[in-house]
Amino acid sequence: MIKIIIIAICLLVSAFGYAQSETPKDSISNKLEEVVISAKAKTFSNQNGNIKIDVANSVYNSVPNTLDLLSKLPTIIISSDKENVSIVGKGTPLIYIDNQRVGMNDLNALSVDDIKNIEIIQNPSAKYEAEGRAVILITRKFSKKDSFKTDISEVASFKKRYNNYLGFNSSFKKNKLEWKANFNYNQLQPWENHSIDYEIANANIVSDYDVEAYTKRKQYIFGGGLFYKINEDDYFSFSINSKLQKDTFDINTSTYNKKDKVENNVVTFSDNDSNKDFVNAFLNYSKKIKAIDTQVFTGLQYSNFDQGLWSEVENNFNDTEFGLTQIRDQKFKVGVFLGRIDIEKKFKNEMKFEVGGLYSSADSKSDFDIFYSETNKNVLSHYDFKEQNLAGYSQLSGKIKKVDFSVGIRVENTNVNGKFKTDLLPLIDKNYTNFFPKAELTFLIDSTKSISVNYAKSISRPNYSSLSQGTTYINPYFLYGRNINLDPTIINEISSTFQYHDKSVKLSYYQNTNPVYNSFIYDEEQNIMTFKDINFDKETGFNLDFTLPFTYRFWTTTNSLVFILEKIEDKSAMFLASKPYLYYYSNNEFKLPKGFTLTVSGWGLTKQNKGVFERNERFIVDMALSKSFFKNWNCTLTCNNVFNSNIEEEQFTINNVSSKARYQVDWHEISIAIKYSFGKIKDSQFKEKNVDDSNRIR
């Protein structure tokens, strides 16, 4: 009923139309002041497997938050808990907003209205940090003309429960100065369910649990920025953004546990309060030294993340009565400072030399306070973690006859120190230096065809919260934990891409040392299982990737097919099977009469056999109908996960523990988004010679 009413409203409003008025001939100036040549921009474009998405001028501009936007793009998968982003066949990518690297919290604090385009870069150069085999590059909007514009948006989302997104985004540009501000207030009620059946043969244990949680979440997202264009080549910018989040949620768990001949049925109830507060600030300056034709970029960044979780846990054994078990108070805080410099020199023979450096420093603290009601005792633990990273790179790129080339090397030194306050000596003390060579050769066959060959070495480091102490209580026999002893993963990859017009096929092989995956650790003395990340021995894989865009009249489609063969190995795990599986993605945009745009997109994975892990097939379809009317209004009706396919299943055996897990969230959603824009645009007094949309860091 709600869908019918919403569609009727959009159709009714669009039916009013516009009265076209003729302009008198004598009002036309004989002086030609400006000629504007406009062309319909493609939503998706592909170059050597790198896909660029026009967000600002597409239906994606109506998606309520950045993470949901990324989940609709090819090869990008957001984890069910929305804590991690991965690219199919590439793992965890680097994420950049303009010139600076960011993390998941920055994505949550970024307004979709601020995004101009997103590019998925499969083979990043040495200029980017060595951490990651791919880059998600987000470019924000900046105006070329004097203007004032404000967007007010409202998104009503219907899942298992009602969710609401209210947004405000404003920008002002006068001559060389541009100012931007945004504010979002979200009231959300996410739901999730998780269950695991496991067996420990050598301990005679059979157990399973089923946990369900509803969360009441309030989010305040705000940001502001200042951009000053000094001249055609130089600029100064400052921006700050923040997300403040408050969660209250009850967790209900039903558990069956049998050890030897002792059986218990336990109902666990926990009352939880959580806060996640994040703030991030950027300061950038770009200067062109004209005497030597060299561009210099410098940037400073500071981020702070503060998280707290308070829980009161009660257990009911075998239908008796609930009794207080634990009161848990956990806090985590991390501050990160980063400074970088990039120098770019172009030569007349199409050669370009780049050199630069980066320094980052992270300092985190995690406090762990648990009161055990059975023993009437408190357990306190304080852990401090520090990491410093110093990096430098150089890169040469250009063209020799019909061969484009890019060769570079990056060196990074990392110093890590972790210590509990009760210890005299550091528990974690690491200092290592790694070299990361990268090279790419592109052979131009003709104006429509090319072949490229790429080699890259990279590193993947655990996030700071994964390297802290802390656990999540599920039931008397099961905990989720973190691992302060995680090591980074080293990746070597070689690939080749064939490009024909805007279509491409890519074959790649990679090998990972110390990959990070889930594992079970059983404490026989306390009879407690802990589920946490560990370093596995090795991972290898082949990917065959097809990117196939196509346009026919009012229909534009972008399709991606990735054939994957992965093999994960570890001496503590049982090797199950390693078989090829398929990832497929299709985005279809239809330009309909009366200014309507219909988008149908879907992605899926066939059954995955990865050596250690077996995961089920998945298939997701999203639909959106968008219409602009009265010049200032936009209405978008969206249905996400149309077929309500939201169950993830996984099974594996490690450390003599065999498990089958199932996880689901309320991805099925019907939403209505209404956006109102107002303002005005004037002829700019400041003229820019460079109108290229490409970002500086490529």
Side-chain angles (χ1 to χ4, degrees), residues 29-95:
S29 172
N30 291 326
K31 182 180 178 182
L32 185 63
E33 294 183 351
E34 183 180 16
V35 175
V36 177
I37 301 175
S38 61
K40 180 184 178 297
K42 291 183 178 180
T43 302
F44 290 83
S45 59
N46 171 45
Q47 182 65 40
N48 284 336
N50 299 327
I51 299 176
K52 190 173 184 179
I53 301 95
D54 181 1
V55 175
N57 301 303
S58 69
V59 70
Y60 294 111
N61 186 249
S62 64
V63 178
N65 62 77
T66 303
L67 280 181
D68 285 347
L69 168 61
L70 289 177
S71 71
K72 298 177 181 296
L73 303 184
T75 69
I76 295 179
I77 294 181
I78 307 295
S79 64
S80 298
D81 58 6
K82 295 191 175 182
E83 295 291 337
N84 296 288
V85 176
S86 63
I87 292 181
V88 174
K90 288 285 188 177
T92 303
L94 285 171
I95 303 171

Side-chain angles (χ1 to χ4, degrees), residues 639-691:
C639 183
N640 291 326
N641 194 9
V642 175
F643 301 112
N644 199 20
S645 173
N646 61 349
I647 298 176
E648 297 179 50
E649 296 177 349
E650 179 183 73
Q651 65 181 46
F652 63 99
T653 299
I654 189 167
N655 288 328
N656 296 314
V657 180
S658 300
S659 74
K660 294 181 179 180
R662 185 172 120 155
Y663 190 79
Q664 56 182 328
V665 295
D666 54 344
W667 281 357
H668 181 64
E669 174 187 31
I670 297 172
S671 68
I672 175 71
I674 299 176
K675 181 184 293 185
Y676 174 68
S677 305
F678 62 90
K680 58 183 178 179
I681 299 175
K682 298 180 179 179
D683 290 339
S684 177
Q685 299 299 314
F686 177 71
K687 305 296 182 182
E688 291 186 272
K689 290 183 179 179
N690 182 11
V691 294

Side-chain angles (χ1 to χ4, degrees), residues 22 128 198 200 241 257 295 363 651 667:
E22 295 183 2
Y128 296 93
Y198 65 91
I200 312 174
N241 56 72
N257 184 272
Q295 191 76 35
D363 190 345
Q651 65 181 46
W667 281 357

Side-chain angles (χ1 to χ4, degrees), residues 348-365:
K348 293 182 179 179
N349 57 356
E350 297 188 30
M351 296 290 183
K352 182 171 67 174
F353 178 69
E354 298 165 276
V355 65
L358 177 143
Y359 171 78
S360 66
S361 177
D363 190 345
S364 73
K365 299 180 182 297

